[in-house]
Structures are given as C-alpha cells and as structure tokens.
Amino acid sequence: MSSSTSSLEPLFSIVSYSYATLETNFFKIPGSAVIARYVKSSHQNDPGRTVLELILIVFAIFTLLQSRTRADHSGKHFIKFDEKEIDDLVDEWVPEPLAQPLDAREQADLDNLPVIVGPTGPKPKLTTGKTVLNLASYNFTGLSGNTGIKERGIETLRKYGLGSCGPPGFYGTQAGAGIADFLGTEAAILYSQAFSTISSVIPAFCKRGDIIVADRGVNFAIQKGLQISRCTVRWYDHNDLQSLEQVLESVEKERRKKKGPLTRRFIVTEGIFDHDGAMADLPRLVELKLKYKYRLILDESVSFGSVGRTGRGLTELYNVPASQVDMLVGSVANALTSCGGFCAGSNIVVNHQACILDLFFIEPSYSPPRCPRCSLSLHRRASNSAPHALDPEHPAGEVRAVRLVLDKVDCISIPSHPASALIHINVRTPSSNPLALSPKPSNPQSAAPREPEHFDVDAEERLLQEVVDEALAQGVMITRARRLRGQELTEVRPSVRLAISAALTRKECEKAAGVVKAACIKVLGRRR
C-alpha cells in the first residue's frame, strides 16, 4: 500500500501545483473574488445546485463545440435535379408580395390622386393639362417655387457641390444660427427629417421614470416619441387646459402619496394641432408649467411660419418670450421651403442633443444646398416688418377670407382655430359638437377620452372624397386628411384639409373657398 502511495506522490504533486497555479491566476482576474464567493455560498447552501450548474456549463461547452452545419457526406438525404427540372421549378416559383394588396377602396383612392407635372407651387399643372389652385400642400408662406430661392440654391450647388451630408465643421451652421436668431433663442439644432425631429427630441430628454403630460390630440410623430422614451405618460383632454391642470394636480398628489422622488416632468403639446387645426393657449400653458414646475416641449411644425406678425409662431402671436418655452420644435419644410426640422432653446438644450443623438439625424446630415434656402427664407421673413394682414408672405388675410365663406355652410363643421392657416372640414352630424365636454374627467392613464366621439369612418371618408373630387373638377386641389388607422392611439375623425398659401391672392382664395363651399353643399346636401 505504501509503495503504491509513494508511486502516486509525483502525480499528486503535479496536480497540487497545477491547482495552486490556476487558483493564483484566477484571483488575478478582476471580479474573480465575487465569483468565488458566489460559488462557495451557493455550494454551502445548496450542493445540488452546484452540480446542476456544472452540468449546464459542460452542456453549453459541448453545444458550442458542435458543428452547426454537419454535412451529410453520404448524400442520401439530397435530391439531385437535372437542368430541365431546375428550370421548371424556377418558372413555377411565385414570390410572396412584400406588402398586403390594396383593397378596392384603397385602389380607387390611388387611382384618383392628381399627378402634378413639373414643380409644385400655388398653381401647379396636372397631367390632365389643367392648372389648379393648390390648397393641398403645406405652402403657408408661398415660398415654394420662389425664383430667388431657387437661384440661390443653384448658386450654392455649383459652388460647393452636392454630397449626402454637410459636415458643420466645413459648411458651418448658419442655418441653425439663423433659426435661433429669428426665434430669439440662444441656439438651435437641425434635423435631417421633420418627422424624426420631435420623435427624437422627446426621448433625448425623457427617460424611464420621468413623467410626461401630453395632449390626447398630438400627432403621430409625437406619439412615436412618447413610445420610444419609455417614460410615464399622463394624458389630458384635447386642448382643454382645465383638464391639464387637473392632471398636473393628480400627478403631484400621487407622488406625495407614494413619497416618490422628484423626477423630470414635461408638458408636450402642439402649437397648431395637425389633426384638426386647433390652437393651444400658450400664455396659459406657460403659466401652468411655471406653477407646477414642468418643462414645456412645443411642436410648432404647423404654426411656425403661418402665425405671428413675421411668422415666428405662437410666441410672437401671444407675445410670449421664446425663453419661456424650453424646447421649440418645428418643421423647416413647411415654412422655409426646404426639408428637415429644428429644435430651438437654450445652449444646454441644444448641446445635450448634439452629444447624445445619432449624428445621422441631426445637423451633419444637412446637405449644403438646403442651408442657403433656409437662410434666405429667414432673411426674407425677418426683414419684413409690415403688419400681418398686409404682408404678402403671411396667409392671415387669406385665412380670414376663406373662413368668411366656409363658416356659413351648414352641412360642415370646422374645428380649426380662426387664425389657423390649416383648416379641417368635418361632416356635420346631429351628434357632432366639438365644444361638448364630458362632465366627468377622463382617465389620465389612458390615451382614449372618457366619451369618445362616435362616427362612421368609411361613410364619412367616402363623402369627403366626393367633395375633393368635385372641387378638383372645378379647378381647386384639396385633399382628404390621411390617417394611420389602427396605428394611432386615438381614432381621429375624417376631414378634408385645406392649407392656405400666401402666394394666392385674396380673390383667388375667395374663389377657391366658393368652389369648396359649392362642392360641400352639392355632395353633403344630398344626404339630408
């Protein structure tokens, strides 16, 4: 026995030395002490668990070492085709469609869409050869197709060339600085696409655990931004600031009841709502955000360029300093005849976005020909100090002329603000009363109102499309507001959308309004 033991002593020595070396090297690894402590405590409390973990580790190693593509060298599971059979199979193969086929109504809508020949503008020419008055495009300032802006863009293109992006270190940031100077903010940052602007700004500042109080009528881009942010969202009734104050009070009561910590809190709304043209009461919003200590994110994609004495939006219309709005978000496409969007605010707000957001979305991807277009458009607007109604690049006078005609039509209802250049027309029904408020407050945790408005989507869209077709036949191009049915948080009522352009004269706007009025009476009057 002693001889056998003595013969194994060299082996035991080697094993002992190897174990000591392995242990020494293992404890040199950062975090190894935590693993060792976990294994000791786990084995001491539950030895069976250690055995199970060892089995799982061995199984994982065995699986990783297995070949993922074990070839069958025998070839018995393979079928060999000749050339004729291969050709027949290829001819018989039919690929699946990339999208669902259009139904009859969608195909009819697609076939009825007017097609513009040449550049768009206030009076485009269609493929039918007819020249129409354009009330469908978001050309509020009338700068689309402006000759001076076109020439400046061509000049810049010839001087700098064209690339997929415009690095600010090379081309400068004159467009962002021009927007900041125009709005009266410390700085502004540009985005390459208007839709991605607000849906990127919101998650840039709002994270999980933060609180956002949002209007139930916000557009789809804001809804996507709220979803991406993963923060706690509370909803208030559409453009009802009394409901907003109740929600703000309930959020504070809930925090005190749960003794929760103070978090970042935001109010998110639009200046002029894209869904119905209603306008927010900015002075009251600022009052509430200061009272309850919230930050305000205001989307002025529609109101920027269309309201205010020089088109600076709601801050100018209500004489509210731009510094009172923490983040002013807008579209460069709607007002400045370019593309993209912007977020204006303090230097801290702008620098924060530049640091954390993907550079693909913000200013470096802004191509050089677009910057002078923005700068020239801003210069044209800033240099004009005439009153709003007399300024040819403001549609206020044209808006009043159109509303004077349409407000007298009994078969339609207009939820838009009287000063909004974006006008929505709904089919008037006995139950449609946009001013009717529910006696009970809605649940702030749900995006759906307590008593939603009831309407027949298919029937109203069919009637409104007939109005659009009748107006187009009379030389006025309008459009039915397109909705993402089933994707938006709330069901929006079908409407015809008019975008009043300052490039049209008052007489042309009155003529177009008369055509729309006649089309509404002809189509909607028949169902009475």
Side-chain angles (χ1 to χ4, degrees):
M1 184 69 180
S2 60
S3 60
S4 61
T5 305
S6 60
S7 63
L8 292 176
E9 283 183 359
L11 179 61
F12 291 154
S13 300
I14 294 173
V15 172
S16 177
Y17 176 75
S18 301
Y19 176 76
T21 304
L22 182 63
E23 183 180 15
T24 303
N25 293 331
F26 173 75
F27 280 106
K28 290 181 180 179
I29 301 174
S32 57
V34 177
I35 298 175
R37 187 165 58 250
Y38 167 76
V39 173
K40 288 180 180 179
S41 61
S42 174
H43 179 73
Q44 181 178 0
N45 298 331
D46 189 2
R49 179 178 176 181
T50 304
V51 176
L52 178 61
E53 290 179 349
L54 287 174
I55 294 174
L56 291 175
I57 291 173
V58 172
F59 178 75
I61 295 174
F62 175 77
T63 304
L64 291 174
L65 294 178
Q66 288 294 312
S67 174
R68 299 192 178 204
T69 57
R70 286 183 287 183
D72 186 3
H73 300 288
S74 64
K76 62 181 180 180
H77 296 296
F78 290 90
I79 301 174
K80 189 174 182 179
F81 296 100
D82 56 26
E83 293 296 329
K84 184 177 181 305
E85 291 175 329
I86 294 175
D87 292 339
D88 292 340
L89 290 174
V90 171
D91 293 338
E92 293 174 0
W93 179 73
V94 178
E96 294 184 0
L98 297 177
Q100 292 294 331
L102 300 178
D103 57 30
R105 183 171 59 86
E106 293 173 337
Q107 187 63 47
D109 290 343
L110 183 62
D111 295 338
N112 291 333
L113 284 178
V115 180
I116 295 175
V117 178
T120 184
K123 300 176 183 178
K125 185 177 181 180
L126 304 182
T127 52
T128 58
K130 180 187 294 187
T131 300
V132 296
L133 298 177
N134 185 3
L135 297 185
S137 302
Y138 278 16
N139 184 25
F140 303 121
T141 58
L143 296 177
S144 178
N146 182 273
T147 305
I149 296 177
K150 280 185 179 179
E151 293 175 353
R152 182 67 179 274
I154 294 173
E155 177 186 344
T156 306
L157 182 62
R158 289 174 176 171
K159 182 177 181 180
Y160 294 104
L162 178 64
S164 59
C165 66
F170 181 77
Y171 292 109
T173 56
Q174 70 271 28
I179 290 176
D181 183 64
F182 180 72
L183 291 174
T185 60
E186 294 181 1
I189 189 169
L190 297 175
Y191 286 75
S192 58
Q193 197 212 22
F195 184 91
S196 65
T197 303
I198 186 65
S199 58
S200 299
V201 170
I202 293 175
F205 294 94
C206 311
K207 306 299 180 185
R208 188 186 299 274
D210 296 340
I211 296 176
I212 289 181
V213 179
D215 191 295
R216 284 190 169 88
V218 292
N219 58 51
F220 187 63
I222 294 179
Q223 295 175 21
K224 290 285 102 179
L226 298 176
Q227 181 182 357
I228 295 171
S229 68
R230 299 179 297 175
C231 60
T232 302
V233 182
R234 296 292 182 264
W235 303 91
Y236 67 94
D237 292 333
H238 177 44
N239 207 24
D240 183 357
L241 298 191
Q242 182 179 357
S243 173
L244 170 60
E245 186 167 17
Q246 293 174 354
V247 174
L248 297 178
E249 291 177 352
S250 66
V251 169
E252 182 62 20
K253 289 179 181 178
E254 182 180 359
R255 186 192 69 82
R256 291 178 179 177
K257 182 179 180 181
K258 295 182 178 180
K259 298 181 180 179
L262 284 174
T263 59
R264 290 173 295 189
R265 301 181 293 185
F266 301 84
I267 298 174
V268 178
T269 187
E270 295 182 71
I272 292 179
F273 290 87
D274 188 59
H275 280 167
D276 59 3
M279 184 183 296
D281 185 353
L282 184 59
R284 180 61 176 158
L285 278 172
V286 172
E287 178 186 344
L288 291 176
K289 79 114 178 176
L290 293 175
K291 178 180 178 181
Y292 293 95
K293 297 179 175 56
Y294 276 68
R295 295 182 176 93
L296 177 59
I297 301 178
L298 184 64
D299 186 0
E300 291 214 72
S301 295
V302 177
S303 53
F304 175 67
S306 64
V307 296
R309 186 170 59 88
T310 58
R312 287 175 169 86
L314 260 64
T315 54
E316 184 177 45
L317 180 67
Y318 287 108
N319 197 25
V320 174
S323 58
Q324 295 291 327
V325 181
D326 299 278
M327 279 145 272
L328 275 169
V329 182
S331 169
V332 178
N334 292 346
L336 302 182
T337 185
S338 183
C339 61
F342 67 87
C343 178
S346 64
N347 287 318
I348 296 176
V349 166
V350 171
N351 293 336
H352 176 75
Q353 296 174 73
C355 289
I356 71 169
L357 289 178
D358 190 343
L359 296 182
F360 176 79
F361 294 106
I362 56 176
E363 203 160 9
S365 59
Y366 216 65
S367 61
R370 302 176 191 170
C371 297
R373 293 174 66 90
C374 297
S375 301
L376 185 58
S377 300
L378 288 171
H379 175 72
R380 289 171 62 91
R381 305 191 64 77
S383 61
N384 197 332
S385 59
H388 197 147
L390 303 178
D391 185 356
E393 292 185 0
H394 289 86
E398 291 78 8
V399 170
R400 286 195 292 269
V402 172
R403 291 299 296 264
L404 284 174
V405 176
L406 296 181
D407 287 341
K408 300 176 183 178
V409 183
D410 296 332
C411 56
I412 63 174
S413 61
I414 301 178
S416 307
H417 190 275
S420 172
L422 183 66
I423 301 174
H424 284 261
I425 299 175
N426 300 129
V427 177
R428 184 184 293 275
T429 59
S431 61
S432 63
N433 184 8
L435 300 179
L437 301 177
S438 173
K440 296 182 180 179
S442 302
N443 181 11
Q445 298 184 12
S446 173
R450 178 177 292 276
E451 296 181 3
E453 191 177 8
H454 299 285
F455 46 84
D456 189 339
V457 174
D458 293 334
E460 292 193 10
E461 285 188 345
R462 186 168 56 253
L463 287 171
L464 293 174
Q465 186 60 46
E466 292 181 18
V467 172
V468 171
D469 296 339
E470 179 64 26
L472 183 62
Q474 302 301 322
V476 177
M477 186 170 66
I478 57 179
T479 182
R480 180 164 50 84
R482 307 294 174 174
R483 312 296 186 193
L484 294 170
R485 301 294 177 188
Q487 298 186 42
E488 301 197 32
L489 296 177
T490 57
E491 192 73 21
V492 184
R493 184 164 192 175
S495 64
V496 166
R497 191 193 69 205
L498 278 64
I500 310 304
S501 174
L504 299 174
T505 64
R506 183 171 298 198
K507 287 186 177 180
E508 290 172 334
C509 289
E510 290 175 348
K511 175 185 175 182
V515 170
V516 175
K517 174 184 176 181
C520 291
I521 294 175
K522 179 179 179 180
V523 174
L524 302 180
R526 293 186 311 217
R527 66 189 189 91
R528 289 191 163 188

